[in-house]
Amino acid sequence: MNLVWVVSILIICIPGSTEGASRPAVVNVGAMCTVGTINGRVSKIAIEAAVNDVNSDPTILGGTKLSITFHDSNFSGFLGIIGALKFMESDTVAIIGPQTAVMAHVLSHLANELHVPLLSFTALDPTLSSLQYPYFVQTAPNDLFQMAAIADMVSYFGWTEVAAIFTDDDSGRNGVAALGDKLAEKGLKICYKAALPPDPKATRDDVKNQLIMIQMMESRVIVLHTFAKSGLVVFDVALELGMMESGYVWIATAWLSTVLDSTSPLSSKTANSIQGALTLRPHTPVSERKRAFISRWNKLSNGSIGLNPYGLYAYDTVWMLAHAINLLLDQGGTISFSNITSLGGPKGGGTVNLGALSIFHGGKQLLDNILQTNMTGLTGPIAFHPDRSPLNPAYDLINIIENGYQRIGYWSNYSGISVVPPETSSNRSTLNQHLHTVVWPGGTTVKPRGWVFPNNGKQLRIGVPNRVSYRDFVSRRNGTDIVEGYCIDIFLAAIKLLPYAVPYEFVLFGDGLKNPSYYEFVNMIASGKFDAAVGDIAIVTNRTKIVDFTQPYIESGLVVVAPVRRLNSRAWAFLKPFSALMWGVTAAFFLIIGLVMWILEHRINDEFRGPPRKQIVTILWFSFSTMFFAHRENTVSTLGRMVLIIWLFIVLIINSSYTASLTSMLTVQQLESPITGIDTLVTSTEPIGYQIGSFAQNYLVEELNIPRSRLVPLGSPEAYADALKKRTVAAVVDEKAYIELFLSENCMFSIRGQEFTKSGWGFAFPRDSPLTIDMSTAILTLSENGDLQKIHDKWLSRKTCAQTSDLISDQLQLQSFWGLFLICGIACLIALFIHFLLALRQFSRHSPEAEDQTEPSSHSRRTSRSARLHTFLSFIDEKADESKNNNKTKRKRKEMNDGIKWEGEL
């Protein structure tokens, strides 16, 4: 076990102090540490340097000096407790430490009772909460942030599972628990936890047994959360087992970065065993003070050990405590204690007098001063949030390579993963969310997949439905255990495209007497009885809640198939192409066009003149003869020609549409059914058939609210045909893939309407199975290279019947032609409007009554409107040249009458 070192500050009042009784002359600092650890040795040197620097600056404690004494716990928890109690007997005001979470949990209870603050920069267990342990302060970021950084890395590289190796103590267990929580926030998880004996008790055999277990797991991403001694043993054994080769991912917590920083040079054995691993180092920004301290380090350590970030935190912790003590004294606080009497004196002798333990009266005030720290140290700005977490915890992300290590990026609580230092980036910008190139185990720069098929001696149990119908999709070959079919061939083709071997065996599901329930089939995966399911499994909502599906390899929504009767040719079949409304509107427009043409041509075209009976016959003949472009009458007027051209164009379209529709009706055998789709099926009260085991039953009941009493289970295509022929069911609802195969052999039935659901078939795997993504990629590859279609043609290509729903011709409706009729109607109205304007102009010009307006006679005033209208209609009815001659005769007669009248007056 990595046991504690404790620094205890003993305040002894010297009577002759120049500062008087309120400020002591000397502060004695006691330190207990495990010198045999890297952090113990580095921290001891850093604390001594900090004490010397504090003592050399009289402005820090106002002349008070710190004196330090160390005690080595030597990996012993018992010695650590005894050492802490001894310091607490000596009126200790604060303890810097302990080094491990195990001792922190124990000593925090004492600190709570004695009001002695504990400050630790290495006991970083996330469960050491301020609520339970108010006098325990972590002066470095705790492991919750380190685990958040690892979770972000795992998510960034696209892995879904990790295996965790940890030391089985408070720090290891709680750290891995925090890792699990952070992974879960991103939809990831720990698939296996390997516990090692507390450091340094883990043996090579202990490590080897756990690594062999991990080798048999599918995850190849391993998080190592231990201490230095056990961690290096793990890497050494992993190298021996071939687990530092290509395909593995190793992420070590910050202990490995301390080994890199403080051990120089690494032995060749250690260097080889950790190549390609990733680790984290607490990030400390560059500053002049930090550079100066680093330059002093060789002298301070005599070159015995390298400086790591925890040495910087140890240095800053001493300064933090010194400032807090100085503030306490400046506030008028006194260093006073009272013996605790509730424990009583020692009863069995011994050297530790529990009754001598003292309560520090100024402990609460000193603790508050520590938490209100606001300074800049070697590690950067130092302050605490209300929850006592550091201001901006951050880590360097380190990749160990052949000749050392490289920094591939940073992580901070605010900016996440980034290549930008945390002090210059304060938000999680997606532009910065990337890392530099990583050299993985095996020397490759290609990102490992992160998992392989587990090598635990078991084959993948692939569930296959034991169908009794539609055996082209999946079936068991008679007399053998071999399964075959369309779905099986696709699965086998996809498996061959995977870059790794997948041992598997097919296991039939169902009794072979009826099709199995696919809901139960999928549940077998969720319950762990099957490792996957292959077959005609529709991807529907309730199934996706319990398993993961691959990319669909065939589209197959629900359709309606119904019995149909053949439409034989009838005497009135020629009326079928148009609906009744279409016939009526077309006939009306023929008459309208004949009338319009008569109006436009009557005054100027002799072919449109004659007795009324002849003119009516002309109108009818002309209008209907345009249907065949057989009209004999010439068109003289410009307006008439314009209307006729538009009408003939419309007649051409109507004739072509009618001919095409009638030809289809007479040459293609038509099918007819009262069921036109899912809407008419739902509104009817007829029984509906469905395939046993299909999701169609639940869909019809739950989504379409069809009573279960209307549903009839059917087990085979033969049952479909029999039920439809005997009218036991009005229609069958099933997936399109099945129905297309059914119709290829049954020409008396047809798909009615369109697919009313959109779904497909896929292979099912347990939730979060990495095989799902790889199999989906393989299916897409099969689709792109044409193999998917070849497999389809091999199993499902059939010579289909001609009587399918897409050959059924519907009657042509008015809505298909209303635009043409609208254009024609507008053209007729415009032509008539222009025609009557011209006629009025001619009437006004040539009418004798209109010309005589200078002196209106009494006769013209007496002319009634009806007489004038009659005159206009007579004018319209006259031929244009006759109208002109009549007007000339009237003008001459009027001139003669006016002359005779004038002579009589003379």
Side-chain angles (χ1 to χ4, degrees):
M1 180 184 298
N2 234 358
L3 293 179
V4 304
W5 55 265
V6 179
V7 178
S8 150
I9 301 178
L10 307 178
I11 309 297
I12 302 175
C13 298
I14 307 298
S17 171
T18 59
E19 296 295 322
S22 62
R23 181 175 288 273
V26 177
V27 175
N28 293 327
V29 178
M32 186 190 309
C33 61
T34 301
V35 181
T37 64
I38 291 176
N39 283 340
R41 293 165 59 194
V42 170
S43 299
K44 179 176 182 298
I45 297 172
I47 290 172
E48 288 177 335
V51 169
N52 291 335
D53 291 344
V54 168
N55 288 338
S56 63
D57 187 349
T59 63
I60 302 302
L61 287 174
T64 298
K65 300 294 183 181
L66 297 179
S67 177
I68 187 168
T69 304
F70 288 93
H71 173 75
D72 184 4
S73 63
N74 195 25
F75 294 101
S76 171
F78 176 76
L79 291 179
I81 295 174
I82 296 301
L85 291 175
K86 284 184 176 180
F87 285 120
M88 288 181 177
E89 288 178 356
S90 306
D91 294 340
T92 302
V93 297
I95 297 176
I96 301 177
Q99 185 173 335
T100 65
V102 174
M103 292 308 306
H105 281 279
V106 174
L107 297 184
S108 291
H109 293 287
L110 291 175
N112 291 345
E113 295 293 331
L114 303 179
H115 298 177
V116 179
L118 302 179
L119 292 83
S120 177
F121 46 86
T122 53
L124 304 178
D125 182 351
T127 64
L128 289 165
S129 70
S130 58
L131 296 177
Q132 184 180 7
Y133 306 115
Y135 281 85
F136 180 80
V137 180
Q138 293 171 326
T139 60
N142 68 44
D143 286 342
L144 181 66
F145 301 104
Q146 185 172 202
M147 298 309 172
I150 293 176
D152 276 354
M153 291 172 63
V154 173
S155 176
Y156 170 81
F157 287 112
W159 302 312
T160 58
E161 295 182 353
V162 303
I165 304 175
F166 62 96
T167 298
D168 193 10
D169 59 12
D170 290 344
S171 177
R173 287 190 299 268
N174 296 329
V176 169
L179 174 62
D181 293 341
K182 291 300 179 180
L183 290 172
E185 291 176 5
K186 300 179 179 298
L188 315 175
K189 66 179 182 179
I190 299 175
C191 65
Y192 181 74
K193 297 179 181 179
L196 299 177
D199 193 74
K201 297 179 181 179
T203 65
R204 293 183 65 87
D205 288 339
D206 295 330
V207 172
K208 188 172 184 179
N209 291 336
Q210 292 294 346
L211 291 183
I212 291 175
M213 291 296 297
I214 291 176
Q215 272 188 317
M216 295 189 293
M217 303 296 167
E218 63 181 25
S219 178
R220 285 295 180 261
V221 182
I222 303 170
V223 176
L224 182 56
H225 181 49
T226 62
F227 297 99
K229 289 185 178 295
S230 297
L232 293 178
V233 174
V234 170
F235 276 115
D236 188 37
V237 176
L239 180 66
E240 178 184 312
L241 295 177
M243 297 178 67
M244 297 305 297
E245 298 175 355
S246 179
Y248 282 90
V249 176
W250 286 85
I251 303 176
T253 50
W255 67 266
L256 183 55
S257 66
T258 64
V259 173
L260 297 176
D261 293 333
S262 299
T263 306
S264 180
L266 291 173
S267 67
S268 59
K269 180 180 179 181
T270 300
N272 289 335
S273 67
I274 61 177
Q275 281 187 31
L278 301 178
T279 187
L280 297 87
R281 172 198 288 146
H283 176 77
T284 55
V286 176
S287 66
E288 290 300 325
R289 284 191 64 195
K290 179 180 173 182
R291 289 194 186 97
F293 186 76
I294 293 174
S295 64
R296 293 171 52 198
W297 183 257
N298 282 336
K299 182 177 180 181
L300 294 172
S301 64
N302 294 321
S304 61
I305 193 170
L307 176 64
N308 65 54
Y310 293 105
L312 303 178
Y313 281 112
Y315 184 92
D316 284 348
T317 300
V318 172
W319 277 84
M320 184 190 310
L321 183 57
H323 282 294
I325 292 174
N326 184 62
L327 182 60
L328 172 68
L329 298 176
D330 288 343
Q331 292 169 341
T334 59
I335 309 299
S336 62
F337 298 84
S338 62
N339 290 341
I340 184 169
T341 59
S342 59
L343 295 177
K347 296 181 180 181
T351 59
V352 178
N353 184 5
L354 297 179
L357 298 178
S358 301
I359 298 176
F360 177 32
H361 295 161
K364 181 64 170 64
Q365 188 175 0
L366 179 60
L367 175 66
D368 292 340
N369 291 346
I370 292 172
L371 297 178
Q372 294 172 9
T373 298
N374 188 1
M375 57 178 277
T376 300
L378 300 184
T379 58
I382 302 174
F384 296 95
H385 287 295
D387 62 354
R388 300 190 182 183
S389 62
L391 282 180
N392 187 12
Y395 293 90
D396 297 340
L397 306 182
I398 305 299
N399 176 212
I400 302 172
I401 56 179
E402 184 176 0
N403 297 319
Y405 61 86
Q406 61 176 352
R407 182 167 53 206
I408 59 172
Y410 305 89
W411 181 91
S412 77
N413 195 39
Y414 298 103
S415 61
I417 285 177
S418 175
V419 293
V420 179
E423 54 268 23
T424 61
S425 177
S426 60
N427 58 69
R428 288 179 177 262
S429 171
T430 55
L431 298 177
N432 296 329
Q433 294 290 309
H434 63 275
L435 298 174
H436 297 302
T437 302
V438 178
V439 179
W440 304 100
T444 179
T445 57
V446 178
K447 186 198 78 172
R449 187 173 61 251
W451 74 279
V452 296
F453 193 77
N455 184 23
N456 53 13
K458 296 181 181 179
Q459 290 183 317
L460 196 66
R461 288 174 55 85
I462 306 292
V464 177
N466 192 6
R467 295 192 59 89
V468 296
S469 62
Y470 296 114
R471 295 171 62 83
D472 291 300
F473 292 107
V474 58
S475 63
R476 176 183 181 181
R477 188 180 299 175
N478 292 334
T480 68
D481 292 331
I482 299 174
V483 290
E484 58 186 2
Y486 169 71
C487 303
I488 299 300
D489 278 8
I490 291 178
F491 175 78
L492 295 177
I495 281 289
K496 291 179 181 178
L497 295 178
L498 299 182
Y500 48 86
V502 179
Y504 62 88
E505 61 176 337
F506 290 124
V507 181
L508 291 171
F509 175 74
D511 57 13
L513 302 178
K514 63 179 180 179
N515 292 333
S517 167
Y518 279 66
Y519 182 75
E520 295 179 5
F521 186 32
V522 172
N523 271 331
M524 298 286 281
I525 303 172
S527 64
K529 294 182 180 179
F530 288 143
D531 299 310
V534 172
D536 46 341
I537 308 170
I539 304 173
V540 293
T541 304
N542 63 344
R543 295 174 185 172
T544 58
K545 295 178 180 179
I546 57 176
V547 297
D548 286 343
F549 282 95
T550 62
Q551 172 81 12
Y553 56 84
I554 187 173
E555 299 296 329
S556 184
L558 291 178
V559 294
V560 176
V561 61
V564 292
R565 58 187 178 89
R566 300 175 182 176
L567 290 179
N568 299 320
S569 298
R570 299 175 183 176
W572 300 99
F574 67 91
L575 295 177
K576 286 291 185 180
F578 288 164
S579 65
L581 181 60
M582 179 64 183
W583 278 119
V585 173
T586 303
F589 261 86
F590 272 107
L591 295 176
I592 291 171
I593 292 299
L595 181 60
V596 170
M597 291 300 299
W598 177 83
I599 294 174
L600 297 177
E601 295 291 324
H602 178 66
R603 297 188 68 242
I604 60 176
N605 193 339
D606 289 335
E607 295 184 0
F608 287 86
R609 299 186 63 79
R613 181 177 180 181
K614 178 184 176 183
Q615 293 185 50
I616 292 174
V617 172
T618 300
I619 290 174
L620 295 175
W621 166 255
F622 179 83
S623 61
F624 287 103
S625 63
T626 56
M627 182 186 300
F628 310 102
F629 305 97
H631 53 285
R632 295 176 298 178
E633 293 78 10
N634 293 323
T635 306
V636 177
S637 68
T638 303
L639 293 175
R641 290 175 177 176
M642 180 191 72
V643 171
L644 183 59
I645 289 175
I646 294 175
W647 175 245
L648 291 178
F649 174 71
I650 294 173
V651 169
L652 175 64
I653 295 176
I654 293 175
N655 279 344
S656 300
S657 302
Y658 175 85
T659 303
S661 181
L662 182 61
T663 301
S664 175
M665 288 183 174
L666 296 178
T667 58
V668 178
Q669 191 177 44
Q670 297 300 299
L671 303 176
E672 186 179 75
S673 171
I675 303 299
T676 59
I678 187 62
D679 294 332
T680 56
L681 187 61
V682 171
T683 56
S684 70
T685 59
E686 299 292 331
I688 304 171
Y690 69 92
Q691 183 184 177
I692 295 175
S694 171
F695 75 96
Q697 179 188 18
N698 288 338
Y699 185 87
L700 293 174
V701 173
E702 297 174 5
E703 301 296 332
L704 302 182
N705 298 318
I706 295 177
R708 290 184 182 272
S709 58
R710 289 182 57 192
L711 303 183
V712 179
L714 302 172
S716 66
E718 294 76 14
Y720 286 10
D722 187 60
L724 291 170
K725 288 177 183 178
K726 295 180 179 180
R727 301 292 192 238
T728 306
V729 296
V732 171
V733 174
D734 206 348
E735 295 172 63
K736 188 176 181 180
Y738 298 130
I739 295 302
E740 288 179 342
L741 201 59
F742 169 71
L743 293 179
S744 67
E745 299 176 354
N746 295 272
C747 299
M748 298 176 62
F749 312 101
S750 171
I751 294 176
R752 308 302 291 170
Q754 303 296 322
E755 288 183 70
F756 56 92
T757 65
K758 295 294 182 182
S759 62
W761 293 351
F763 304 135
F765 291 91
R767 296 299 297 268
D768 302 322
S769 171
L771 263 176
T772 307
I773 297 176
D774 289 351
M775 287 295 287
S776 294
T777 303
I779 290 172
L780 288 175
T781 302
L782 292 175
S783 177
E784 292 170 358
N785 63 22
D787 288 345
L788 206 60
Q789 185 61 43
K790 292 177 183 178
I791 297 173
H792 181 277
D793 295 341
K794 171 185 175 183
W795 288 98
L796 305 181
S797 289
R798 297 289 190 277
K799 184 179 180 181
T800 59
C801 299
Q803 296 87 346
T804 54
S805 59
D806 57 340
L807 295 176
I808 299 175
S809 300
D810 293 328
Q811 287 182 322
L812 298 175
Q813 304 293 327
L814 175 63
Q815 54 262 34
S816 302
F817 299 92
W818 73 268
L820 295 174
F821 289 125
L822 178 63
I823 293 172
C824 183
I826 293 174
C828 291
L829 291 176
I830 293 174
L832 290 175
F833 179 73
I834 296 174
H835 174 75
F836 281 112
L837 282 180
L838 294 176
L840 285 172
R841 181 172 175 272
Q842 291 175 5
F843 176 73
S844 300
R845 179 181 299 174
H846 299 294
S847 174
E849 292 79 358
E851 293 177 355
D852 189 12
Q853 295 184 8
T854 58
E855 295 180 4
S857 64
S858 59
H859 176 72
S860 63
R861 283 194 300 270
R862 289 193 300 269
T863 303
S864 65
R865 288 185 178 181
S866 60
R868 189 171 181 81
L869 178 60
H870 183 269
T871 304
F872 176 70
L873 293 177
S874 298
F875 174 78
I876 290 295
D877 186 54
E878 293 177 353
K879 192 174 181 181
D881 52 356
E882 292 179 357
S883 176
K884 292 179 181 178
N885 293 334
N886 290 338
N887 287 334
K888 290 179 181 179
T889 302
K890 290 178 181 180
R891 282 196 296 272
K892 289 179 180 180
R893 187 182 296 115
K894 184 176 183 297
E895 290 173 357
M896 290 175 63
N897 292 335
D898 290 343
I900 294 172
K901 181 179 180 183
W902 180 74
E903 289 177 355
E905 291 177 353
L906 289 177

